[in-house]
Amino acid sequence: MQGELLREDQSRSPEERLRPERLRTDCPVLLSERLVLRAPHEEDIDALAHLANNANVATMVSRMPHPYTTNDAADFVRRTKLGEIGKCVYAITKAENGAFLGCCGVEPTADPNTVEIGYWLGEPYWNQGYTTEAAHALIDMVFRTRENVAQIDARCRVMNVASRRVVQKCGFQFQGSGLAASLALGSTVSVEWYRLDRKTWISLRSWGGLR
């Protein structure tokens, strides 16, 4: 099924893959050099379940169950459409063929001037720069379209070296350590908290020195 979806996407133009009904007024489709970030939809379910059903992924994010089933993926897509998961959830896809790679998103916090970003990528796509590229696009969207947002937070497990490298490449500064719940592990885990403020983003937004 996943292969059929990829072949179908390859047969369509980029404009056709970005159907108007997938656009969200407050969460626009985002384009980068290699990626398209757009709303998750039903065609992603099989690929989502396949990539998310991986302990190496699930234990590094807070709210992903393990094992992860097709029903979990379908419920995730349904809930994102209803706005029940975060403020703005994106599927990370390849621009060249529409292949589903993972997800990222923006969530509000108790502070109306602060949002938090999160992301995960399927293991076959690690260490290729996709996560940093998606994070850059997401950060740019937040600061350019949400004038009230003064800073963006990000958290990663202390042991997640790759995720720490992503936030550091994006200019986030270390704020402190703490604990967060892990659904996959059924316990709390040690995490690091990072923050990127608008002033720092303005000085780095070309991302020229961060690649």
Side-chain angles (χ1 to χ4, degrees):
M1 180 65 176
Q2 182 180 355
E4 293 172 358
L5 291 178
L6 297 186
R7 287 194 295 273
E8 180 186 4
D9 269 344
Q10 287 172 334
S11 68
R12 297 183 294 178
S13 69
E15 292 76 12
E16 289 173 326
R17 290 201 295 269
L18 301 178
R19 293 195 300 262
E21 63 266 30
R22 294 180 186 168
L23 304 181
R24 295 165 292 177
T25 56
D26 59 340
C27 304
V29 171
L30 306 178
L31 306 177
S32 63
E33 182 179 355
R34 298 177 296 168
L35 302 174
V36 174
L37 276 58
R38 45 87 176 151
H41 53 74
E42 285 78 6
E43 292 176 4
D44 299 323
I45 289 173
D46 284 358
L48 169 59
H50 173 71
L51 294 176
N53 189 33
N54 181 339
N56 293 331
V57 172
T59 57
M60 293 300 164
V61 297
S62 60
R63 294 184 298 240
M64 183 180 289
H66 184 74
Y68 194 96
T69 68
T70 300
N71 287 339
D72 291 321
D75 186 59
F76 173 82
V77 171
R78 179 188 64 80
R79 292 172 64 205
T80 59
K81 286 187 173 184
L82 295 175
E84 295 179 357
I85 302 177
K87 173 65 176 175
C88 213
V89 178
Y90 286 98
I92 304 171
T93 68
K94 279 190 178 182
E96 64 181 15
N97 59 15
F100 177 91
L101 309 184
C103 290
C104 62
V106 181
E107 291 190 12
T109 69
D111 177 0
N113 297 315
T114 305
V115 297
E116 184 167 343
I117 66 167
Y119 47 78
W120 69 268
L121 211 66
E123 190 168 3
Y125 305 107
W126 291 0
N127 301 314
Q128 299 176 56
Y130 290 127
T131 310
T132 302
E133 188 173 331
H136 283 171
L138 193 62
I139 292 164
D140 285 345
M141 183 276 291
V142 170
F143 280 131
R144 286 173 176 162
T145 66
R146 290 157 169 74
E147 295 182 356
N148 65 301
V149 173
Q151 58 260 331
I152 301 174
D153 286 353
R155 288 174 172 78
C156 65
R157 286 193 65 181
V158 170
M159 64 183 294
N160 193 342
V161 176
S163 186
R164 181 185 304 114
R165 189 162 60 244
V166 169
V167 296
Q168 290 174 341
K169 284 182 178 180
C170 292
F172 285 77
Q173 301 298 310
F174 179 75
Q175 302 295 309
S177 301
L179 295 174
S182 168
L183 182 59
L185 293 172
S187 63
T188 58
V189 296
S190 298
V191 297
E192 295 176 343
W193 166 35
Y194 291 82
R195 172 166 286 177
L196 175 66
D197 61 59
R198 182 178 289 273
K199 183 178 179 180
T200 302
W201 169 76
I202 289 173
S203 70
L204 298 174
R205 59 184 173 182
S206 68
W207 303 117
L210 298 175
R211 294 191 183 279

